[in-house]
Amino acid sequence: MTFPKIELHVHLEGTVRAGTLLQIARRNGVPLPADSVEGLAAVYEFRDFAHFLEVWLITTGALRTERDFRQVVVEYAAEAAGHGAVYLEGIFTPAEPVGRGVGWDEVFTGYCDGAQQAAELHGVQVRLTPDIPRRYPLEAAELTARRAVAYRDRGVVGLGLGGPEAGYPPEPYARAFALAKDGGIGSVPHAGEAAGPASVRGALDALAADRIRHGIRAVDDPGLVGELAGQGVVLDVCPISNLRTGLVASLAVHPLPQLVTAGVACSVSTDDPAMFGTDLTADYAAASQLGVSPRDCYQAGLRGALCDQQTKHQLQEVGEAFDWAGVTAAGQE
């Protein structure tokens, strides 16, 4: 039995394993670069970031219907539950399928239905945080924000901002995030992954970020690190993703321990597990190798979770009931 885990940063499109992608693509009549699980597994083998984007587009291009979106959530919940997950916040990018002709409500309904089924079938509490893609027109940002508010009662708890930080600072998206905030939706933008502290600062100041996804480059500004610690802003850190994309040269030099030592709460997540060849157990183990205990990861996840207080209380009880002393430094019992 693994220890309980909370995951706050996982792109649902990036959880689709080869077998599921093959099934969905066949169902929708979408051609793929290989027609077997083994062949697709070879396509999935990470080479560089450009290749990651290629696989991302192959995957997202196959997702066409409400049934597809629902299946993606339920299948990842099953996988995550096998690694001890009790709560996760799934990211999806609705503007991408909408740009291919899928309806906004079909996308949101599919993911929301999937979150409900995930709890029923696998006991994992799933909340949703649609992402605004930086490369899309600002109109798409506001439409995403409005739909997020409309689906707040169906498990949508946050609004994110994803895509390349270079050339796309947070500030232009302030109106979309203000719309979401006014509607009771949290702010969870990606910032400080590839770009420096200014990206994190912009997310805090312009987008009123409740949490920062990645945020590891904040370490380059000690004053900003102090502010994050003082304000209790949680960073969603994805160690193996950072290795795969080359943002850190090796696990040994990852800034996670430096951030934690400075008092910053850091949750641990997989980011895009199917595409980066990782899973929750592996990422929590990486954090343990860096000296961050599974219990601290869980507590940071609890602090950063955007769910209602009743769910938070249940998650707190799970954490308090577990014998964390029995978890070894390797992140396993």
Side-chain angles (χ1 to χ4, degrees):
M1 177 182 176
T2 60
F3 55 86
K5 300 177 180 69
I6 290 174
E7 180 169 33
L8 301 182
H9 185 149
V10 58
H11 294 266
L12 293 167
E13 301 96 335
T15 69
V16 181
R17 303 283 179 182
T20 298
L21 178 58
L22 188 63
Q23 180 190 51
I24 291 175
R26 284 175 174 169
R27 188 165 70 215
N28 293 334
V30 177
L32 295 175
D35 60 1
S36 68
V37 172
E38 294 75 19
L40 278 179
V43 173
Y44 269 61
E45 290 178 8
F46 184 85
R47 296 194 299 269
D48 52 34
F49 193 71
H51 173 247
F52 162 75
L53 292 177
E54 178 184 336
V55 177
W56 175 272
L57 291 173
I58 290 170
T59 302
T60 56
L63 302 176
R64 304 287 179 93
T65 70
E66 185 178 316
R67 178 183 177 186
D68 301 338
F69 307 128
R70 181 172 66 248
Q71 179 178 348
V72 167
V73 185
V74 174
E75 291 202 5
Y76 184 64
E79 175 184 328
H83 293 281
V86 293
Y87 176 88
L88 62 89
E89 289 184 10
I91 306 165
F92 65 100
T93 307
E96 193 281 330
V98 167
R100 291 185 282 104
V102 183
W104 285 97
D105 290 318
E106 187 167 11
V107 178
F108 273 82
T109 297
Y111 281 113
C112 290
D113 285 351
Q116 182 178 336
Q117 287 189 8
E120 296 168 353
L121 296 174
H122 306 298
V124 181
Q125 293 295 320
V126 178
R127 301 296 184 270
L128 298 166
T129 57
D131 239 11
I132 294 167
R134 282 179 159 98
R135 286 176 170 170
Y136 280 56
L138 288 177
E139 179 187 8
E142 295 190 16
L143 287 170
T144 303
R146 292 185 189 281
R147 277 307 193 289
V149 172
Y151 281 84
R152 184 183 63 180
D153 293 337
R154 300 259 3 246
V156 175
V157 295
L159 180 68
L161 178 65
E165 293 177 85
Y168 298 92
E171 286 78 4
Y173 303 92
R175 175 172 165 78
F177 278 82
L179 287 170
K181 280 275 188 175
D182 288 345
I185 298 294
S187 171
V188 284
H190 289 62
E193 179 185 13
S199 179
V200 177
R201 178 79 64 186
L204 292 172
D205 293 347
L207 308 185
D210 297 292
R211 219 172 61 229
I212 299 291
R213 285 187 159 139
H214 293 296
I216 57 172
R217 293 273 53 91
V219 77
D220 298 333
D221 182 343
L224 178 58
V225 171
E227 288 181 38
L228 292 171
Q231 296 173 19
V233 177
V234 175
L235 303 185
D236 299 341
V237 179
C238 308
I240 292 177
S241 167
N242 299 151
L243 286 175
R244 296 285 188 267
T245 58
L247 293 174
V248 296
S250 69
L251 190 62
V253 298
H254 197 286
L256 176 60
Q258 187 176 346
L259 291 162
V260 171
T261 298
V264 179
C266 295
S267 71
V268 171
S269 299
T270 60
D271 204 2
D272 298 276
M275 298 177 186
F276 291 141
T278 188
D279 54 47
L280 266 179
T281 296
D283 268 286
Y284 266 71
S288 290
Q289 290 177 46
L290 292 169
V292 184
S293 74
R295 184 174 189 172
D296 286 345
C297 293
Y298 187 89
Q299 289 299 322
L302 179 61
R303 178 187 293 186
L306 295 176
C307 55
D308 58 277
Q309 287 302 312
Q310 180 180 349
T311 303
K312 273 207 169 190
H313 180 68
Q314 292 170 350
L315 296 174
Q316 182 177 352
E317 288 182 333
V318 169
E320 291 174 349
F322 186 76
D323 179 17
W324 294 100
V327 181
T328 68
Q332 297 291 328
E333 286 187 337

